């Protein structure tokens, strides 16, 4: 078994807020991250694939294919977007790094 990792970067903005809480409660929970004007981050994504090396082509996966999948499933959807307003499920789910990671996992799976 061999493992390869492909790195990609994207920029996106968001804010952290739970609709059922007041502005004061959201600010107590998330601090400045709760401000609805939002703020941006530069994200680094690493996608790791593990498998057996194909004896014919010497690869576990073509890195160009992996790059294309990352672009299609993540970068084209996330890059330069306001996550809360433009990327489901963040219209009803707080875009924390953990929830972003889960969403990316589901998209890549």
């Amino acid at each position: 078994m061999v493992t390869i990792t492909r790195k990609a970067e994207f920029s996106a903005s968001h804010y952290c807020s739970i609709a059922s809480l007041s502005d004061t409660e959201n600010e107590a929970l998330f601090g400045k991250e709760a401000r609805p004007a939002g703020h941006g981050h530069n994200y680094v994504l690493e996608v790791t694939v593990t498998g057996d090396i194909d004896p014919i082509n010497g690869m576990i996966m073509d890195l160009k294919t992996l790059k294309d999948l990352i672009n299609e499933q993540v970068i084209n959807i996330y890059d330069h977007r306001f996550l809360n307003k433009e990327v489901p499920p963040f219209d009803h789910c707080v875009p924390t790094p953990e929830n972003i990671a889960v969403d990316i996992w589901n998209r890549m799976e």
Side-chain angles (χ1 to χ4, degrees), residues 13-17 82-87 90-93 95:
S13 62
H14 74 124
Y15 64 93
C16 295
S17 179
F82 196 141
L83 299 180
N84 303 72
K85 300 179 187 293
E86 298 180 75
V87 181
F90 303 116
D91 54 341
H92 64 274
C93 172

Side-chain angles (χ1 to χ4, degrees), residues 63-107:
L63 284 176
K64 169 76 167 85
T65 301
L66 182 55
K67 178 183 178 181
D68 291 346
L69 284 170
I70 292 168
N71 284 334
E72 176 186 315
Q73 297 299 321
V74 181
I75 304 305
N76 294 345
I77 294 166
Y78 274 74
D79 195 33
H80 291 89
R81 301 289 192 269
F82 196 141
L83 299 180
N84 303 72
K85 300 179 187 293
E86 298 180 75
V87 181
F90 303 116
D91 54 341
H92 64 274
C93 172
V94 181
T96 60
E98 295 85 352
N99 284 334
I100 292 169
V102 167
D103 185 58
I104 290 172
W105 174 273
N106 290 335
R107 290 173 188 277

Side-chain angles (χ1 to χ4, degrees), residues 21-69:
L21 299 180
S22 70
D23 290 345
T24 303
E25 290 170 315
N26 274 307
E27 191 152 341
L29 183 59
F30 297 112
K32 67 179 182 173
E33 303 275 320
R35 296 183 186 141
H39 58 280
H41 296 284
N42 294 319
Y43 294 89
V44 176
L45 170 66
E46 293 183 355
V47 177
T48 300
V49 180
T50 301
D52 293 319
I53 297 173
D54 184 300
I56 296 170
N57 66 22
M59 299 182 285
I60 61 170
M61 182 176 194
D62 183 333
L63 284 176
K64 169 76 167 85
T65 301
L66 182 55
K67 178 183 178 181
D68 291 346
L69 284 170

